[in-house]
Amino acid sequence: MPLEVRNPHAGIPFTDDDATIAAALEDVSIPTLMCSMVHITGDPSWIRGEFQPAGLFLNEYQGFMDEELKARARAAALPVIAAFRDGGCELPPDPSPALLQEMMSYLACEPVADEYVPLFLEELGLDGRDAGAITWADEIADDVKADFPVVVIGCGESGLLAGIRLKEAGLPFTIIEKSGGPGGTWYDNRYPGARVDVGSHFYCYSFEPSDHWTEYFSQQPELQAYFERVLEQYGVAEHTRFNTEVIAATYDEDEARWSVVTRDRDGTESTLDARFVISAVGALNYPHYPDIPGMDDFEGPSFHSARWDHDVDYAGKRVAMIGAGASGFQIAPTIAPDVERLTIFQRTAQWMFPNPNYHRTVPDGDKWAMRHLPFYNRWFRFLTFWPGAGIDMERSRVDPDFDDSDGLAISEQNLSTRNFFMSMIAGQVGDDPELLEKVTPNYPATGKRTLQDNGSWLEALKRDNVDLVRTGIERITESGVVTTDGQRYDVDIICYATGFRHNDFLWPMTITGRDGVVLNEQWGEEPTAHLGISIPNFPNLFCMYGPGTNLAHGGSLIFHSECQIRYIMGAIEQLLRGGHRALEPTQAAHDAYNERHQSEISQMVWAHWSVTDSHYKNANGAVYTLSPWPIPTYWRMTHQVDRDDYVFWP
Ligand code: NAP
């Protein structure tokens, strides 16, 4: 008889004593625990009784329950968990779909509408299945599959994911990665303090365990190690060429094949043949350097934040950091205690969002719960996913009836957000009107990437050895920075934390499609793709994290990648099953999608006239980088390929 396979999310059976369990319960998220108790007992009263969370706020894990209520919940749970242990960790039948929806609503502190339930059921995978796994490999003849090699460009989170699915599909594939290892952003960005700003238990593959994270917002080394481990575990490493860059790809219409030209570190070029090309190059990968006169004159070390030079010891040195967005915001507090002086040249103040868990280690008890308590880690994932899913996207929409002439808010709700953020900032700044003025953003709240505030940024700015300069830079000299008011700042090191070429999708590769059309020429300043994935004139080319798919409203890009790869593999499946050689989105489907996309995004805060110098905007001030869709909307749009959106070529 086959051994029954335990649902991987049902928790590893345990024999720990009561004291160990009681200690663990001190560390857990009580609302999440209550959901696990429903699984353990089959009794819905855990979420219907007194243990009600008062509200849900992104990255707040306790539902604002007071200490007494949490203590009563722990006391009630302990003997029941002990009995579960004594009974061999046997679970009663699974909760009904209706009860699962009620559990979602309990955690969300609001009714989770029917339309969202399929997404979250699939994403939580409570049945232990990987809903995105490819199941059709055996239904396609081996010789057919052998004739459809795939080149994936990039081995960050999305390229690695593509590799996992292609392997499951039994298609031959090669991943070309310009860096020396997997991880993309998490390989390149090794600056001091680099960490993810989306909760780690959500910012990871849905089909991989998430009980190992040591911090709620992991730092770069742990993320890089995660991608290395997944690469090996899924056997994708042997399909990957590191230190190799794709420089061009050209489509041959007669053969329905791509020629992909690569160049390795020593300059050797080679050509790969492919039926499909999946671009997984990310959008924030090529550093943007400012164009400041004299940059080459500086005699000390200077480098971009995403090319941090770890051979340079900044301890005891005078450091200039030019630019302070998401990267600079993490660098400054990390290096400030060690440098002699840190001078931060910030053009625009940033909005921040309170997050006390930002630098918090996952305590042992919470890790124990993630590992052993049934479905606890899945519900914890839901707790971080739901508030960042863009369900309340309307808060980002410009209210046409609101007086926005001062450029400080776009709606009443946005004004309240501004006031709330400002009260948090002012509370931290204290009695320093000059600093308060410098750190007060002059554009609507959330208009750029909103940063995570656990107090570390403003604490750093208040240090005696840190200066925040908001005056423009005139030039760089051999010894430092000169601002437009003539002030000189002599420094030993310059770090350019000036962001990335976000609008230059697939740059600097030359991608040539049907009839010799060059992708960057077709796009100009307005890169578009059907669903952000496929492009007219470029058969069998797919993008992950392509135009219009970055997320400014929250959510995890890894989730978005899972949506995109399911769609791409669905398209490939249709092509193979239909005996076709190529597919391409119709111009009509592409145009209709992008009209809707532009119509939506142009009404959102990120496109508002008052938000200037934003990497989300192109040279004309329009937004072609971001998704305007709530996450469930994009999930639905990409869940299945609509045949009518494509032309299939024989
Ligand atoms: P960024 O947000 O684009 O910030 C760049 C900074 O450089 C801004 O302060 C910008 O000022 C300044 N700057 C740019 N050009 C300049 C110039 N010519 N002169 C003076 N200042 C200039 O770049 P980033 O901080 O690297 O972040 C980029 C994106 O990467 C983020 O939006 C986020 O999506 C992602 N990221 C995420 C994390 C994370 O998850 N923890 C960490 C880092 C980055 P203005 O604001 O005035 O343009």
Side-chain angles (χ1 to χ4, degrees):
M1 234 171 64
L3 281 177
E4 198 191 322
V5 179
R6 193 176 168 90
N7 183 323
H9 306 308
I12 301 169
F14 55 94
T15 54
D16 303 83
D17 62 19
D18 287 13
T20 305
I21 300 168
L25 295 186
E26 291 299 318
D27 293 336
V28 302
S29 152
I30 297 296
T32 312
L33 173 68
M34 293 300 104
C35 288
S36 180
M37 297 308 292
V38 174
H39 286 279
I40 288 175
T41 61
D43 178 3
S45 66
W46 291 95
I47 58 163
R48 291 180 184 164
E50 64 166 326
F51 305 127
Q52 296 300 317
L56 178 60
F57 190 75
L58 184 60
N59 304 320
E60 198 285 329
Y61 307 141
Q62 297 297 352
F64 301 101
M65 284 181 168
D66 66 37
E67 289 305 322
E68 266 183 40
L69 186 61
K70 286 195 286 186
R72 282 206 297 281
R74 287 187 197 105
L78 179 59
V80 179
I81 297 172
F84 172 67
R85 171 202 60 203
D86 296 342
C89 299
E90 286 292 325
L91 282 167
D94 294 336
S96 68
L99 181 53
L100 291 174
Q101 184 171 1
E102 189 182 339
M103 291 157 82
M104 291 177 195
S105 301
Y106 166 81
L107 279 186
C109 297
E110 61 182 312
V112 170
D114 293 351
E115 62 180 298
Y116 301 130
V117 173
L119 153 63
F120 286 103
L121 282 183
E122 181 182 292
E123 144 72 20
L124 290 176
L126 296 170
D127 57 5
R129 276 187 337 110
D130 168 9
I134 305 301
T135 51
W136 44 261
D138 293 341
E139 295 164 38
I140 309 289
D142 286 347
D143 59 334
V144 173
K145 286 185 288 196
D147 188 37
F148 280 83
V150 186
V151 168
V152 179
I153 312 173
C155 194
E157 57 84 12
S158 61
L160 172 52
L161 174 64
I164 291 170
R165 297 312 189 202
L166 290 166
K167 183 138 188 152
E168 287 169 353
L171 291 170
F173 69 97
T174 308
I175 304 180
I176 304 293
E177 168 55 58
K178 71 176 170 11
S179 298
T185 281
W186 302 110
Y187 185 92
D188 289 343
N189 285 273
R190 295 152 182 253
Y191 57 75
R195 74 169 73 224
V196 64
D197 63 4
V198 174
S200 286
H201 299 86
F202 177 33
Y203 188 84
C204 54
Y205 299 117
S206 64
F207 51 88
E208 268 290 291
S210 59
D211 58 2
H212 50 85
W213 298 111
T214 61
E215 291 178 277
Y216 288 107
F217 293 82
S218 302
Q219 300 191 54
Q220 178 270 336
E222 190 170 5
L223 281 153
Q224 196 201 330
Y226 173 75
F227 291 112
E228 271 169 12
R229 185 174 58 68
V230 173
L231 180 87
E232 292 297 334
Q233 187 184 323
Y234 284 84
V236 177
E238 61 257 35
H239 296 264
T240 308
R241 289 190 203 165
F242 293 110
N243 295 313
T244 307
E245 195 165 357
V246 170
I247 53 176
T250 305
Y251 187 68
D252 179 332
E253 198 172 348
D254 295 333
E255 298 296 323
R257 302 190 93 96
W258 284 92
S259 289
V260 181
V261 183
T262 65
R263 184 164 54 212
D264 66 20
R265 279 277 161 91
D266 68 12
T268 308
E269 291 191 4
S270 42
T271 301
L272 287 169
D273 160 68
R275 286 281 190 187
F276 299 107
V277 174
I278 299 177
S279 165
V281 295
L284 298 161
N285 56 355
Y286 269 91
H288 158 77
Y289 289 89
D291 187 15
I292 304 173
M295 280 171 62
D296 291 339
D297 298 341
F298 183 64
E299 287 175 352
S302 66
F303 42 81
H304 189 273
S305 55
R307 301 288 181 268
W308 191 274
D309 186 346
H310 284 278
D311 291 336
V312 176
D313 182 7
Y314 55 78
K317 302 280 171 41
R318 298 163 303 167
V319 179
M321 190 175 77
I322 297 178
S327 302
F329 194 80
Q330 295 182 325
I331 294 168
T334 312
I335 67 171
D338 299 325
V339 299
E340 181 190 317
R341 177 149 293 280
L342 172 63
T343 311
I344 303 168
F345 297 87
Q346 190 188 45
R347 195 164 58 180
T348 313
Q350 306 287 331
W351 285 110
M352 332 183 266
F353 181 93
N355 179 359
N357 289 312
Y358 189 32
H359 287 184
R360 223 181 120 209
T361 302
V362 181
D364 287 345
D366 209 15
K367 269 204 212 133
W368 182 90
M370 304 239 182
R371 200 151 292 153
H372 295 295
L373 292 183
F375 305 99
Y376 177 93
N377 65 12
R378 303 316 286 175
W379 289 108
F380 190 78
R381 185 173 169 98
F382 178 85
L383 196 70
T384 40
F385 188 169
W386 176 262
I391 306 284
D392 55 349
M393 194 73 168
E394 289 309 300
R395 76 193 155 149
S396 302
R397 193 181 296 277
V398 178
D399 176 356
D401 298 326
F402 182 81
D403 178 5
D404 63 355
S405 52
D406 61 6
L408 297 180
I410 51 145
S411 64
E412 276 306 330
Q413 197 183 7
N414 182 255
L415 183 58
S416 311
T417 306
R418 176 185 194 89
N419 292 338
F420 169 60
F421 286 177
M422 275 317 300
S423 69
M424 304 299 294
I425 292 172
Q428 292 178 61
V429 168
D431 187 20
D432 187 343
E434 197 189 328
L435 179 61
L436 184 61
E437 196 192 332
K438 281 187 193 172
V439 298
T440 300
N442 63 349
Y443 57 95
T446 71
K448 294 188 177 191
R449 174 86 175 177
T450 308
L451 308 178
Q452 307 291 311
D453 177 18
N454 68 340
S456 56
W457 168 250
L458 287 170
E459 251 170 52
L461 296 189
K462 283 158 64 176
R463 294 178 63 94
D464 289 341
N465 68 335
V466 175
D467 294 314
L468 176 63
V469 177
R470 292 287 312 276
T471 312
I473 298 172
E474 186 190 282
R475 65 181 193 281
I476 309 278
T477 67
E478 67 284 353
S479 60
V481 181
V482 180
T483 46
T484 50
D485 55 3
Q487 179 79 36
R488 293 180 69 93
Y489 297 86
D490 284 346
V491 295
D492 305 306
I493 301 168
I494 297 179
C495 167
Y496 294 101
T498 42
F500 300 90
R501 302 176 66 124
H502 195 175
N503 278 273
D504 297 331
F505 284 90
L506 276 63
W507 185 89
M509 298 180 292
T510 304
I511 311 284
T512 309
R514 279 196 300 119
D515 300 325
V517 179
V518 176
L519 183 56
N520 286 323
E521 290 170 8
Q522 172 166 312
W523 274 345
E525 293 288 341
E526 299 178 353
T528 53
H530 181 48
L531 300 165
I533 297 175
S534 55
I535 310 158
N537 293 324
F538 294 84
N540 291 7
L541 171 70
F542 301 105
C543 297
M544 300 180 74
Y545 198 175
T549 64
N550 197 357
L551 292 168
H553 59 267
S556 157
L557 281 167
I558 297 184
F559 175 82
H560 243 205
S561 296
E562 290 192 23
C563 292
Q564 289 154 3
I565 196 63
R566 183 183 35 230
Y567 182 89
I568 293 167
M569 296 307 292
I572 292 176
E573 179 192 358
Q574 286 202 21
L575 181 142
L576 295 177
R577 283 192 193 282
H580 309 290
R581 292 192 306 164
L583 86 179
E584 183 187 321
T586 66
Q587 192 70 46
H590 166 274
D591 293 354
Y593 172 77
N594 284 293
E595 266 167 40
R596 272 206 297 153
H597 180 280
Q598 275 305 300
S599 153
E600 278 297 296
I601 199 77
S602 61
Q603 297 178 50
M604 298 293 177
V605 63
W606 312 292
H608 194 249
W609 59 266
S610 60
V611 182
T612 53
D613 289 323
S614 164
H615 68 85
Y616 293 146
K617 288 185 170 178
N618 70 7
N620 305 321
V623 177
Y624 284 85
T625 50
L626 294 178
S627 168
W629 315 120
I631 295 266
T633 305
Y634 191 67
W635 176 82
R636 230 174 288 118
M637 286 173 169
T638 53
H639 206 253
Q640 252 176 337
V641 176
D642 184 343
R643 273 192 81 89
D644 293 344
D645 290 350
Y646 283 86
V647 179
F648 286 82
W649 310 94

